[in-house]
């Protein structure tokens, strides 16, 4: 089944953009995923094709109208999750990416100006998603990021079936550091353990490096990782007094 992506945007010319190159572009040409763009402005009802208006209560900027957005969303006929790129959304995680990639596809609503009329989230099943704690000019770049994360997980897209298994966030940790030839560069040498041929020692070194880097660079991830190891899942058997003796 082809993963179908629909982009609702004021700038359809931004797609496929970088998704037309490298492994995503090859997968697109091979039919492993499809891309459709929809111009939000086509759903405006006045002669000026107006899609926005001034904020209720005053303030700078303009807000995308709920009626226009709803008409654009209603044009999506595929039974796929509808996401809206917004800094007010839940942070995108690798776990959510895996869920989306396992499905039939996504429809992504790209914001502009000050964002969306909030009523669109009340009147339609739209999931607001953020790719980070910063502001972009619009949701299109976020949509590209989200799609790239999904596409690389589709069957047959990455060259090796296991090539993504140890990457950052897949195990709850940052990925371990990588090295390649030359063995020595500017006085810096590839760690001896990686040249030892001892796979058990290499695996242990990589695990230790991943844990150390995560603890130092992403204490938020480390906290969640440690918490998941310390606290058993809901419903798991708790140790009894007999277990402790």
């Amino acid at each position: 089944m082809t993963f179908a992506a629909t982009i609702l945007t004021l700038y359809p010319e931004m797609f496929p953009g970088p998704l037309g190159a490298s492994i995503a572009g090859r997968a697109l040409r091979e039919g492993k995923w499809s891309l459709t763009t929809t111009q939000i402005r086509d759903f405006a009802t006045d002669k000026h094709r107006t899609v926005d208006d001034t904020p209720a209560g005053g303030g700078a900027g303009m807000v995308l109208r709920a009626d226009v957005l709803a008409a654009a969303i209603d044009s999506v006929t595929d039974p796929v999750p509808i996401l809206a790129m917004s800094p007010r959304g839940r942070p995108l995680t690798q776990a959510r990416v895996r869920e989306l990639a396992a499905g039939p596809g996504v429809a992504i609503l790209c914001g502009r100006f000050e964002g969306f009329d909030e009523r669109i989230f009340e009147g339609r099943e739209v999931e607001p998603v953020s790719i980070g704690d910063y502001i972009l000019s619009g949701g299109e770049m976020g949509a590209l990021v989200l799609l790239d994360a999904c596409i690389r997980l589709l069957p047959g897209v990455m060259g090796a079936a296991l090539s993504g298994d140890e990457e950052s966030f897949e195990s709850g940790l940052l990925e371990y550091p990588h090295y390649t030839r030359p063995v020595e560069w500017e006085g810096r040498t590839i760690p001896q353990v990686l040249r030892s041929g001892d796979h058990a020692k290499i695996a242990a070194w990589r695990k230790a490096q991943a844990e150390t880097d995560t603890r130092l660079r992403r204490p938020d991830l480390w906290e969640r990782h440690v918490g998941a190891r310390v606290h058993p899942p809901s419903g798991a058997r708790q140790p009894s007094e007999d277990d402790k003796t």
Side-chain angles (χ1 to χ4, degrees):
M1 180 175 61
T2 299
F3 182 89
T6 300
I7 309 296
L8 309 175
T9 173
L10 292 171
Y11 297 95
E13 63 273 16
M14 293 181 69
F15 297 88
L19 297 180
S22 189
I23 60 173
R26 183 172 65 248
L28 181 61
R29 292 188 292 273
E30 293 174 351
K32 291 183 172 66
W33 70 288
S34 66
L35 176 66
T36 301
T37 57
T38 298
Q39 171 58 264
I40 295 174
R41 200 173 294 279
D42 290 344
F43 298 90
T45 56
D46 67 325
K47 66 178 182 180
H48 300 295
R49 303 177 76 202
T50 305
V51 299
D52 57 353
D53 209 329
T54 55
M62 303 291 278
V63 177
L64 288 168
R65 293 171 49 139
D67 55 345
V68 177
L69 293 174
I73 290 169
D74 292 344
S75 73
V76 178
T77 57
D78 293 333
V80 297
I82 298 175
L83 314 178
M85 305 311 301
S86 168
R88 297 183 65 242
R90 290 183 178 177
L92 182 66
T93 65
Q94 188 66 16
R96 184 63 178 128
V97 166
R98 283 196 300 271
E99 292 174 353
L100 294 171
V106 291
I108 305 177
L109 183 62
C110 300
R112 282 277 159 174
F113 317 123
E114 293 303 307
F116 310 104
D117 184 311
E118 188 68 16
R119 291 172 294 181
I120 198 64
F121 300 107
E122 302 166 5
R124 297 293 185 274
E125 289 190 20
V126 180
E127 175 188 346
V129 175
S130 169
I131 63 164
D133 296 341
Y134 44 85
I135 305 299
L136 300 172
S137 300
E140 288 78 13
M141 295 302 292
L144 291 169
V145 168
L146 189 152
L147 283 179
D148 184 78
C150 290
I151 292 162
R152 60 191 301 280
L153 297 184
L154 300 179
V157 171
M158 286 197 291
L162 298 178
S163 61
D165 287 359
E166 295 184 346
E167 292 180 325
S168 293
F169 313 117
E170 286 291 350
S171 65
L173 299 172
L174 298 181
E175 191 177 7
Y176 51 79
H178 292 278
Y179 299 85
T180 189
R181 290 186 290 268
V183 172
E184 184 176 334
W185 172 75
E186 293 188 352
R188 298 168 176 86
T189 306
I190 295 175
Q192 175 60 37
V193 64
L194 298 180
R195 297 179 280 134
S196 68
D198 189 322
H199 297 296
K201 287 183 178 179
I202 291 172
W205 181 88
R206 285 174 168 171
K207 181 175 183 292
Q209 289 293 311
E211 291 179 345
T212 298
D213 286 351
T214 303
R215 180 170 53 82
L216 295 177
R217 300 179 185 183
R218 289 291 304 274
D220 57 321
L221 287 180
W222 179 247
E223 245 180 70
R224 289 200 294 272
H225 176 71
V226 172
R229 291 166 56 191
V230 170
H231 302 293
S234 177
R237 176 181 176 272
Q238 299 295 319
S240 67
E241 290 301 319
D242 291 339
D243 294 328
K244 300 174 183 176
T245 58

